[in-house]
Amino acid sequence: MRRLFTLCAFAAALLLSAPLPRQTDAAELPEPVAGIWNSLYETMERTIGLRDRHETLPESSWFGADRTSNEKKIDELLDRAMELLLTSEVNEQRLKMRELQAKIPKMRRSVEEYRNKRLSAPKTTKLPWIVKTVKDYDGMIADAEERIADTAARIAGIRGKIAENLASYNLNLDEGQLDVLLTSVVGDDLLKNAVVFENVRAVTTKLMELAGKNRDDMATARRYYGMYVVLIDVLIHTQNEFIRRIDGEYVPRIRDIRDSVRKSLEEGQAALARQGFSETQRKVLGTNVESNSLTLRAAKLYEDLLSRQRSRLVLCLHGLERDREVAKNTYDTVRHSSDLSGLIQSGLKLFDTLIALQVPEIRTFENAGIRREFEELTRRLRE
């Protein structure tokens, strides 16, 4: 678990003094952040309160709060803050893109089904309301392919908007890198991370401004600094959740898929080495071997991508944890409020550095076949 604050009674009393402005503080924030400001503010205040009392609680207790229950409440609040900080246009675009991407495989399966049924369909029929003809299936195939093309065009439009948003976050990706990220589970988490970082940056800038305006009110300025510490905790929480998903979900499932595909590949290769199969059967086996080989290459690409992303996350996490240690020590120490504003500003510079670590070194797809297999692996990982 994350390290927790230690505060003396004097510091706690200071932090419980004069209430801070809320609605007026949100006026200059970016629109998405301004919309969630009050909820985020309340969540950060509640987190500070739980942090402040943590060291006074027993390790465990049959009745009432203890450190375990308190940590659980803190984690829930950090989850809530992370959810609020995901508010953005790019996140909405990401979700819409996911929804559209999920439709294309279903439409492709429909096209394949229509083509198979067309093979045995009559050219004419006396029961048109019951029996479909070759012409009917041709029309259904054309309609489905038109829907696929329309959906792909809509995805391309959203993709362009996402690229623009990422560029505004100083995440400049070429077409190949963007292609890999937007067809992977890593891309989902990367976009969420980028949104959280950008919104934390906006809130941190506002806290720095507010702390600077309250130089004569140490309790108020210090509470703003406490909220800055909470924001660092949210970023650490976000990175740890990403690492947990890579270690506990994505990598094990990819390895299971690779093991299953490798077994099928070996069985197909062994069958091809034996005699007794017809030419048609050998052709089917050869196609299966080729398909499984392609899937294995895509799975290896996927696992490499996950590994590189994890390495970047660990580097980012180390930077955040060092900043968190300094921030915690500063928060625990009664210092002049001008120092607090300056330290928040130094945190902003750190965020600028760390956001670049969000994007792993990306190897682009070898060909369209690898891309399709990569998309299919992503679909299976999301199930």
Side-chain angles (χ1 to χ4, degrees):
M1 301 298 292
R2 293 173 300 281
R3 299 184 184 91
L4 300 171
F5 290 174
T6 306
L7 288 176
C8 61
F10 171 71
L14 282 176
L15 290 171
L16 291 172
S17 62
L20 301 177
R22 293 176 182 247
Q23 293 287 357
T24 54
D25 289 346
E28 299 173 7
L29 289 166
E31 186 177 342
V33 181
I36 54 93
W37 173 255
N38 285 343
S39 295
L40 179 63
Y41 188 102
E42 180 185 353
T43 301
M44 290 191 295
E45 274 200 315
R46 289 175 61 194
T47 306
I48 290 173
L50 292 177
R51 293 290 199 199
D52 289 350
R53 72 170 187 165
H54 189 79
E55 295 300 324
T56 67
L57 295 174
E59 288 289 343
S60 61
S61 173
W62 286 101
F63 302 100
D66 56 26
R67 294 187 185 182
T68 300
S69 64
N70 201 53
E71 270 189 355
K72 183 179 179 181
K73 289 179 180 178
I74 290 170
D75 283 344
E76 289 170 354
L77 288 172
L78 293 176
D79 280 331
R80 171 62 177 158
M82 184 171 66
E83 179 184 342
L84 289 168
L85 288 164
L86 279 171
T87 303
S88 75
E89 182 185 355
V90 71
N91 198 45
E92 292 173 5
Q93 291 166 349
R94 178 185 67 85
L95 294 174
K96 182 61 177 175
M97 188 172 187
R98 279 275 305 274
E99 181 184 331
L100 292 173
Q101 286 173 329
K103 290 180 179 180
I104 288 183
K106 296 176 183 177
M107 290 188 284
R108 284 175 178 161
R109 286 194 292 272
S110 294
V111 170
E112 188 63 26
E113 179 185 345
Y114 298 153
R115 284 176 175 158
N116 285 330
K117 289 182 177 180
R118 182 185 183 281
L119 295 174
S120 59
K123 291 185 177 180
T124 60
T125 178
K126 296 180 179 179
L127 302 170
W129 57 90
I130 298 176
V131 179
K132 289 183 173 59
T133 65
V134 169
K135 185 177 180 180
D136 291 330
Y137 281 115
D138 284 342
M140 293 166 69
I141 290 169
D143 288 344
E145 288 180 337
E146 186 177 344
R147 289 196 300 274
I148 290 172
D150 178 66
T151 303
R154 292 171 66 188
I155 289 172
I158 295 173
R159 170 194 171 103
K161 291 179 181 177
I162 289 175
E164 290 175 8
N165 275 283
L166 290 178
S168 72
Y169 298 168
N170 293 319
L171 291 174
N172 297 297
L173 309 176
D174 62 34
E175 285 298 308
Q177 291 175 320
L178 191 62
D179 203 25
V180 174
L181 286 175
L182 294 184
T183 55
S184 71
V185 289
V186 166
D188 289 345
D189 284 308
L190 170 73
L191 289 175
K192 288 193 289 186
N193 259 18
V195 168
V196 171
F197 257 96
E198 188 64 16
N199 284 343
V200 164
R201 190 206 311 263
V203 174
T204 300
T205 301
K206 173 56 68 174
L207 293 178
M208 179 183 68
E209 175 191 332
L210 294 173
K213 286 180 179 178
N214 288 273
R215 292 172 185 272
D216 296 330
D217 186 345
M218 185 59 196
T220 299
R222 200 159 173 276
R223 185 180 295 183
Y224 283 129
Y225 190 76
M227 290 182 179
Y228 163 66
V229 179
V230 171
L231 289 174
I232 299 175
D233 277 339
V234 171
L235 291 177
I236 290 174
H237 188 65
T238 304
Q239 308 310 298
N240 278 323
E241 280 296 296
F242 198 167
I243 291 172
R244 182 195 63 76
R245 283 192 293 276
I246 289 175
D247 290 347
E249 297 175 25
Y250 304 151
V251 169
R253 293 195 66 185
I254 280 290
R255 286 177 178 170
D256 286 346
I257 291 170
R258 285 182 66 185
D259 289 345
S260 176
V261 172
R262 187 179 290 108
K263 181 179 178 182
S264 296
L265 174 62
E266 290 170 354
E267 289 173 352
Q269 290 171 331
L272 279 174
R274 299 198 307 270
Q275 301 297 318
F277 293 104
S278 69
E279 191 61 32
T280 299
Q281 290 170 332
R282 295 186 68 81
K283 186 175 180 180
V284 171
L285 286 170
T287 300
N288 291 344
V289 166
E290 184 179 345
S291 177
N292 284 324
S293 297
L294 199 63
T295 303
L296 275 182
R297 291 210 303 274
K300 180 64 168 61
L301 175 65
Y302 222 128
E303 191 168 356
D304 288 346
L305 178 64
L306 292 171
S307 176
R308 290 192 296 275
Q309 180 66 75
R310 190 188 190 285
S311 297
R312 294 285 181 128
L313 287 168
V314 169
L315 286 174
C316 182
L317 192 57
H318 287 167
L320 286 170
E321 286 174 340
R322 286 193 293 271
D323 195 46
R324 166 66 163 73
E325 188 173 354
V326 173
K328 171 189 176 295
N329 184 261
T330 304
Y331 183 67
D332 288 349
T333 305
V334 178
R335 299 181 61 139
H336 193 273
S337 58
S338 61
D339 289 336
L340 302 184
S341 179
L343 284 165
I344 294 176
Q345 187 172 23
S346 72
L348 280 171
K349 293 177 182 177
L350 174 70
F351 297 161
D352 288 337
T353 302
L354 295 182
I355 190 62
L357 289 175
Q358 297 300 299
V359 184
E361 180 188 349
I362 299 170
R363 296 173 189 166
T364 54
F365 300 121
E366 298 172 26
N367 51 51
I370 290 290
R371 187 186 193 282
R372 285 193 298 271
E373 291 295 331
F374 202 86
E375 289 176 345
E376 175 61 18
L377 288 170
T378 297
R379 184 191 66 78
R380 294 173 69 176
L381 288 175
R382 286 173 177 163
E383 287 179 347

mmCIF file with all atom_site columns, all heavy atoms in Angstrom, residues 63-79:
data_model
loop_
_atom_site.group_PDB
_atom_site.id
_atom_site.type_symbol
_atom_site.label_atom_id
_atom_site.label_alt_id
_atom_site.label_comp_id
_atom_site.label_asym_id
_atom_site.label_entity_id
_atom_site.label_seq_id
_atom_site.pdbx_PDB_ins_code
_atom_site.Cartn_x
_atom_site.Cartn_y
_atom_site.Cartn_z
_atom_site.occupancy
_atom_site.B_iso_or_equiv
_atom_site.pdbx_formal_charge
_atom_site.auth_seq_id
_atom_site.auth_comp_id
_atom_site.auth_asym_id
_atom_site.auth_atom_id
_atom_site.pdbx_PDB_model_num
ATOM 1   N N   . PHE A 1 63 ? -14.166 -3.042 16.683 1.00 0.00 ? 63 PHE A N   1
ATOM 2   C CA  . PHE A 1 63 ? -15.217 -2.028 16.579 1.00 0.00 ? 63 PHE A CA  1
ATOM 3   C C   . PHE A 1 63 ? -14.596 -0.707 16.142 1.00 0.00 ? 63 PHE A C   1
ATOM 4   O O   . PHE A 1 63 ? -13.529 -0.330 16.605 1.00 0.00 ? 63 PHE A O   1
ATOM 5   C CB  . PHE A 1 63 ? -15.927 -1.842 17.924 1.00 0.00 ? 63 PHE A CB  1
ATOM 6   C CG  . PHE A 1 63 ? -16.541 -3.110 18.459 1.00 0.00 ? 63 PHE A CG  1
ATOM 7   C CD1 . PHE A 1 63 ? -15.889 -3.841 19.452 1.00 0.00 ? 63 PHE A CD1 1
ATOM 8   C CD2 . PHE A 1 63 ? -17.741 -3.589 17.963 1.00 0.00 ? 63 PHE A CD2 1
ATOM 9   C CE1 . PHE A 1 63 ? -16.434 -5.008 19.943 1.00 0.00 ? 63 PHE A CE1 1
ATOM 10  C CE2 . PHE A 1 63 ? -18.299 -4.758 18.443 1.00 0.00 ? 63 PHE A CE2 1
ATOM 11  C CZ  . PHE A 1 63 ? -17.639 -5.481 19.443 1.00 0.00 ? 63 PHE A CZ  1
ATOM 12  N N   . GLY A 1 64 ? -15.271 -0.008 15.240 1.00 0.00 ? 64 GLY A N   1
ATOM 13  C CA  . GLY A 1 64 ? -14.796 1.295  14.808 1.00 0.00 ? 64 GLY A CA  1
ATOM 14  C C   . GLY A 1 64 ? -13.702 1.199  13.758 1.00 0.00 ? 64 GLY A C   1
ATOM 15  O O   . GLY A 1 64 ? -13.309 0.117  13.306 1.00 0.00 ? 64 GLY A O   1
ATOM 16  N N   . ALA A 1 65 ? -13.214 2.364  13.368 1.00 0.00 ? 65 ALA A N   1
ATOM 17  C CA  . ALA A 1 65 ? -12.221 2.438  12.289 1.00 0.00 ? 65 ALA A CA  1
ATOM 18  C C   . ALA A 1 65 ? -10.846 1.964  12.746 1.00 0.00 ? 65 ALA A C   1
ATOM 19  O O   . ALA A 1 65 ? -10.471 2.123  13.907 1.00 0.00 ? 65 ALA A O   1
ATOM 20  C CB  . ALA A 1 65 ? -12.136 3.873  11.787 1.00 0.00 ? 65 ALA A CB  1
ATOM 21  N N   . ASP A 1 66 ? -10.118 1.344  11.825 1.00 0.00 ? 66 ASP A N   1
ATOM 22  C CA  . ASP A 1 66 ? -8.704  1.026  12.043 1.00 0.00 ? 66 ASP A CA  1
ATOM 23  C C   . ASP A 1 66 ? -7.960  1.362  10.750 1.00 0.00 ? 66 ASP A C   1
ATOM 24  O O   . ASP A 1 66 ? -8.546  1.866  9.792  1.00 0.00 ? 66 ASP A O   1
ATOM 25  C CB  . ASP A 1 66 ? -8.512  -0.440 12.436 1.00 0.00 ? 66 ASP A CB  1
ATOM 26  C CG  . ASP A 1 66 ? -9.100  -1.408 11.426 1.00 0.00 ? 66 ASP A CG  1
ATOM 27  O OD1 . ASP A 1 66 ? -9.200  -1.027 10.244 1.00 0.00 ? 66 ASP A OD1 1
ATOM 28  O OD2 . ASP A 1 66 ? -9.461  -2.532 11.801 1.00 0.00 ? 66 ASP A OD2 1
ATOM 29  N N   . ARG A 1 67 ? -6.653  1.102  10.739 1.00 0.00 ? 67 ARG A N   1
ATOM 30  C CA  . ARG A 1 67 ? -5.868  1.513  9.573  1.00 0.00 ? 67 ARG A CA  1
ATOM 31  C C   . ARG A 1 67 ? -6.266  0.765  8.301  1.00 0.00 ? 67 ARG A C   1
ATOM 32  O O   . ARG A 1 67 ? -6.234  1.321  7.202  1.00 0.00 ? 67 ARG A O   1
ATOM 33  C CB  . ARG A 1 67 ? -4.380  1.330  9.857  1.00 0.00 ? 67 ARG A CB  1
ATOM 34  C CG  . ARG A 1 67 ? -3.864  2.260  10.943 1.00 0.00 ? 67 ARG A CG  1
ATOM 35  C CD  . ARG A 1 67 ? -2.359  2.182  11.095 1.00 0.00 ? 67 ARG A CD  1
ATOM 36  N NE  . ARG A 1 67 ? -1.918  2.997  12.222 1.00 0.00 ? 67 ARG A NE  1
ATOM 37  C CZ  . ARG A 1 67 ? -0.651  3.157  12.578 1.00 0.00 ? 67 ARG A CZ  1
ATOM 38  N NH1 . ARG A 1 67 ? 0.307   2.557  11.884 1.00 0.00 ? 67 ARG A NH1 1
ATOM 39  N NH2 . ARG A 1 67 ? -0.342  3.909  13.616 1.00 0.00 ? 67 ARG A NH2 1
ATOM 40  N N   . THR A 1 68 ? -6.651  -0.490 8.460  1.00 0.00 ? 68 THR A N   1
ATOM 41  C CA  . THR A 1 68 ? -7.066  -1.272 7.291  1.00 0.00 ? 68 THR A CA  1
ATOM 42  C C   . THR A 1 68 ? -8.327  -0.693 6.664  1.00 0.00 ? 68 THR A C   1
ATOM 43  O O   . THR A 1 68 ? -8.392  -0.481 5.447  1.00 0.00 ? 68 THR A O   1
ATOM 44  C CB  . THR A 1 68 ? -7.307  -2.743 7.675  1.00 0.00 ? 68 THR A CB  1
ATOM 45  O OG1 . THR A 1 68 ? -6.101  -3.293 8.204  1.00 0.00 ? 68 THR A OG1 1
ATOM 46  C CG2 . THR A 1 68 ? -7.739  -3.558 6.465  1.00 0.00 ? 68 THR A CG2 1
ATOM 47  N N   . SER A 1 69 ? -9.332  -0.426 7.482  1.00 0.00 ? 69 SER A N   1
ATOM 48  C CA  . SER A 1 69 ? -10.580 0.133  6.959  1.00 0.00 ? 69 SER A CA  1
ATOM 49  C C   . SER A 1 69 ? -10.370 1.542  6.430  1.00 0.00 ? 69 SER A C   1
ATOM 50  O O   . SER A 1 69 ? -10.972 1.948  5.433  1.00 0.00 ? 69 SER A O   1
ATOM 51  C CB  . SER A 1 69 ? -11.660 0.138  8.042  1.00 0.00 ? 69 SER A CB  1
ATOM 52  O OG  . SER A 1 69 ? -11.307 0.990  9.121  1.00 0.00 ? 69 SER A OG  1
ATOM 53  N N   . ASN A 1 70 ? -9.463  2.280  7.076  1.00 0.00 ? 70 ASN A N   1
ATOM 54  C CA  . ASN A 1 70 ? -9.190  3.644  6.633  1.00 0.00 ? 70 ASN A CA  1
ATOM 55  C C   . ASN A 1 70 ? -8.497  3.642  5.268  1.00 0.00 ? 70 ASN A C   1
ATOM 56  O O   . ASN A 1 70 ? -8.822  4.446  4.389  1.00 0.00 ? 70 ASN A O   1
ATOM 57  C CB  . ASN A 1 70 ? -8.306  4.351  7.665  1.00 0.00 ? 70 ASN A CB  1
ATOM 58  C CG  . ASN A 1 70 ? -8.383  5.863  7.563  1.00 0.00 ? 70 ASN A CG  1
ATOM 59  O OD1 . ASN A 1 70 ? -9.472  6.436  7.580  1.00 0.00 ? 70 ASN A OD1 1
ATOM 60  N ND2 . ASN A 1 70 ? -7.240  6.518  7.446  1.00 0.00 ? 70 ASN A ND2 1
ATOM 61  N N   . GLU A 1 71 ? -7.545  2.724  5.096  1.00 0.00 ? 71 GLU A N   1
ATOM 62  C CA  . GLU A 1 71 ? -6.855  2.612  3.806  1.00 0.00 ? 71 GLU A CA  1
ATOM 63  C C   . GLU A 1 71 ? -7.828  2.246  2.698  1.00 0.00 ? 71 GLU A C   1
ATOM 64  O O   . GLU A 1 71 ? -7.725  2.739  1.571  1.00 0.00 ? 71 GLU A O   1
ATOM 65  C CB  . GLU A 1 71 ? -5.740  1.562  3.886  1.00 0.00 ? 71 GLU A CB  1
ATOM 66  C CG  . GLU A 1 71 ? -4.410  2.140  4.323  1.00 0.00 ? 71 GLU A CG  1
ATOM 67  C CD  . GLU A 1 71 ? -3.287  1.117  4.180  1.00 0.00 ? 71 GLU A CD  1
ATOM 68  O OE1 . GLU A 1 71 ? -3.576  -0.044 3.829  1.00 0.00 ? 71 GLU A OE1 1
ATOM 69  O OE2 . GLU A 1 71 ? -2.136  1.480  4.406  1.00 0.00 ? 71 GLU A OE2 1
ATOM 70  N N   . LYS A 1 72 ? -8.781  1.383  3.029  1.00 0.00 ? 72 LYS A N   1
ATOM 71  C CA  . LYS A 1 72 ? -9.778  0.983  2.036  1.00 0.00 ? 72 LYS A CA  1
ATOM 72  C C   . LYS A 1 72 ? -10.605 2.192  1.591  1.00 0.00 ? 72 LYS A C   1
ATOM 73  O O   . LYS A 1 72 ? -10.866 2.380  0.403  1.00 0.00 ? 72 LYS A O   1
ATOM 74  C CB  . LYS A 1 72 ? -10.692 -0.097 2.619  1.00 0.00 ? 72 LYS A CB  1
ATOM 75  C CG  . LYS A 1 72 ? -11.721 -0.620 1.626  1.00 0.00 ? 72 LYS A CG  1
ATOM 76  C CD  . LYS A 1 72 ? -12.582 -1.711 2.240  1.00 0.00 ? 72 LYS A CD  1
ATOM 77  C CE  . LYS A 1 72 ? -13.626 -2.206 1.232  1.00 0.00 ? 72 LYS A CE  1
ATOM 78  N NZ  . LYS A 1 72 ? -14.495 -3.256 1.814  1.00 0.00 ? 72 LYS A NZ  1
ATOM 79  N N   . LYS A 1 73 ? -10.988 3.028  2.558  1.00 0.00 ? 73 LYS A N   1
ATOM 80  C CA  . LYS A 1 73 ? -11.762 4.230  2.225  1.00 0.00 ? 73 LYS A CA  1
ATOM 81  C C   . LYS A 1 73 ? -10.934 5.195  1.378  1.00 0.00 ? 73 LYS A C   1
ATOM 82  O O   . LYS A 1 73 ? -11.450 5.817  0.446  1.00 0.00 ? 73 LYS A O   1
ATOM 83  C CB  . LYS A 1 73 ? -12.232 4.926  3.504  1.00 0.00 ? 73 LYS A CB  1
ATOM 84  C CG  . LYS A 1 73 ? -13.312 4.169  4.259  1.00 0.00 ? 73 LYS A CG  1
ATOM 85  C CD  . LYS A 1 73 ? -13.702 4.915  5.530  1.00 0.00 ? 73 LYS A CD  1
ATOM 86  C CE  . LYS A 1 73 ? -14.776 4.158  6.299  1.00 0.00 ? 73 LYS A CE  1
ATOM 87  N NZ  . LYS A 1 73 ? -15.145 4.840  7.569  1.00 0.00 ? 73 LYS A NZ  1
ATOM 88  N N   . ILE A 1 74 ? -9.636  5.297  1.709  1.00 0.00 ? 74 ILE A N   1
ATOM 89  C CA  . ILE A 1 74 ? -8.754  6.170  0.926  1.00 0.00 ? 74 ILE A CA  1
ATOM 90  C C   . ILE A 1 74 ? -8.656  5.671  -0.511 1.00 0.00 ? 74 ILE A C   1
ATOM 91  O O   . ILE A 1 74 ? -8.748  6.442  -1.470 1.00 0.00 ? 74 ILE A O   1
ATOM 92  C CB  . ILE A 1 74 ? -7.354  6.246  1.570  1.00 0.00 ? 74 ILE A CB  1
ATOM 93  C CG1 . ILE A 1 74 ? -7.426  7.039  2.883  1.00 0.00 ? 74 ILE A CG1 1
ATOM 94  C CG2 . ILE A 1 74 ? -6.346  6.898  0.620  1.00 0.00 ? 74 ILE A CG2 1
ATOM 95  C CD1 . ILE A 1 74 ? -6.157  6.964  3.707  1.00 0.00 ? 74 ILE A CD1 1
ATOM 96  N N   . ASP A 1 75 ? -8.492  4.352  -0.678 1.00 0.00 ? 75 ASP A N   1
ATOM 97  C CA  . ASP A 1 75 ? -8.413  3.780  -2.025 1.00 0.00 ? 75 ASP A CA  1
ATOM 98  C C   . ASP A 1 75 ? -9.701  4.047  -2.808 1.00 0.00 ? 75 ASP A C   1
ATOM 99  O O   . ASP A 1 75 ? -9.670  4.330  -4.009 1.00 0.00 ? 75 ASP A O   1
ATOM 100 C CB  . ASP A 1 75 ? -8.159  2.278  -1.957 1.00 0.00 ? 75 ASP A CB  1
ATOM 101 C CG  . ASP A 1 75 ? -6.710  1.945  -1.630 1.00 0.00 ? 75 ASP A CG  1
ATOM 102 O OD1 . ASP A 1 75 ? -5.861  2.848  -1.751 1.00 0.00 ? 75 ASP A OD1 1
ATOM 103 O OD2 . ASP A 1 75 ? -6.437  0.798  -1.248 1.00 0.00 ? 75 ASP A OD2 1
ATOM 104 N N   . GLU A 1 76 ? -10.836 3.939  -2.136 1.00 0.00 ? 76 GLU A N   1
ATOM 105 C CA  . GLU A 1 76 ? -12.118 4.204  -2.795 1.00 0.00 ? 76 GLU A CA  1
ATOM 106 C C   . GLU A 1 76 ? -12.205 5.658  -3.250 1.00 0.00 ? 76 GLU A C   1
ATOM 107 O O   . GLU A 1 76 ? -12.713 5.950  -4.342 1.00 0.00 ? 76 GLU A O   1
ATOM 108 C CB  . GLU A 1 76 ? -13.276 3.867  -1.849 1.00 0.00 ? 76 GLU A CB  1
ATOM 109 C CG  . GLU A 1 76 ? -13.444 2.370  -1.614 1.00 0.00 ? 76 GLU A CG  1
ATOM 110 C CD  . GLU A 1 76 ? -14.436 2.061  -0.502 1.00 0.00 ? 76 GLU A CD  1
ATOM 111 O OE1 . GLU A 1 76 ? -14.898 3.029  0.164  1.00 0.00 ? 76 GLU A OE1 1
ATOM 112 O OE2 . GLU A 1 76 ? -14.750 0.875  -0.290 1.00 0.00 ? 76 GLU A OE2 1
ATOM 113 N N   . LEU A 1 77 ? -11.703 6.564  -2.421 1.00 0.00 ? 77 LEU A N   1
ATOM 114 C CA  . LEU A 1 77 ? -11.714 7.978  -2.789 1.00 0.00 ? 77 LEU A CA  1
ATOM 115 C C   . LEU A 1 77 ? -10.760 8.253  -3.944 1.00 0.00 ? 77 LEU A C   1
ATOM 116 O O   . LEU A 1 77 ? -11.053 9.063  -4.838 1.00 0.00 ? 77 LEU A O   1
ATOM 117 C CB  . LEU A 1 77 ? -11.355 8.853  -1.584 1.00 0.00 ? 77 LEU A CB  1
ATOM 118 C CG  . LEU A 1 77 ? -12.428 8.960  -0.499 1.00 0.00 ? 77 LEU A CG  1
ATOM 119 C CD1 . LEU A 1 77 ? -11.885 9.696  0.724  1.00 0.00 ? 77 LEU A CD1 1
ATOM 120 C CD2 . LEU A 1 77 ? -13.670 9.677  -1.029 1.00 0.00 ? 77 LEU A CD2 1
ATOM 121 N N   . LEU A 1 78 ? -9.604  7.580  -3.952 1.00 0.00 ? 78 LEU A N   1
ATOM 122 C CA  . LEU A 1 78 ? -8.672  7.746  -5.071 1.00 0.00 ? 78 LEU A CA  1
ATOM 123 C C   . LEU A 1 78 ? -9.270  7.206  -6.364 1.00 0.00 ? 78 LEU A C   1
ATOM 124 O O   . LEU A 1 78 ? -9.077  7.788  -7.449 1.00 0.00 ? 78 LEU A O   1
ATOM 125 C CB  . LEU A 1 78 ? -7.341  7.061  -4.769 1.00 0.00 ? 78 LEU A CB  1
ATOM 126 C CG  . LEU A 1 78 ? -6.510  7.685  -3.640 1.00 0.00 ? 78 LEU A CG  1
ATOM 127 C CD1 . LEU A 1 78 ? -5.261  6.853  -3.383 1.00 0.00 ? 78 LEU A CD1 1
ATOM 128 C CD2 . LEU A 1 78 ? -6.129  9.128  -3.951 1.00 0.00 ? 78 LEU A CD2 1
ATOM 129 N N   . ASP A 1 79 ? -10.007 6.091  -6.261 1.00 0.00 ? 79 ASP A N   1
ATOM 130 C CA  . ASP A 1 79 ? -10.721 5.575  -7.437 1.00 0.00 ? 79 ASP A CA  1
ATOM 131 C C   . ASP A 1 79 ? -11.733 6.594  -7.935 1.00 0.00 ? 79 ASP A C   1
ATOM 132 O O   . ASP A 1 79 ? -11.884 6.811  -9.143 1.00 0.00 ? 79 ASP A O   1
ATOM 133 C CB  . ASP A 1 79 ? -11.443 4.270  -7.098 1.00 0.00 ? 79 ASP A CB  1
ATOM 134 C CG  . ASP A 1 79 ? -10.525 3.062  -7.110 1.00 0.00 ? 79 ASP A CG  1
ATOM 135 O OD1 . ASP A 1 79 ? -9.529  3.079  -7.862 1.00 0.00 ? 79 ASP A OD1 1
ATOM 136 O OD2 . ASP A 1 79 ? -10.793 2.104  -6.375 1.00 0.00 ? 79 ASP A OD2 1
#
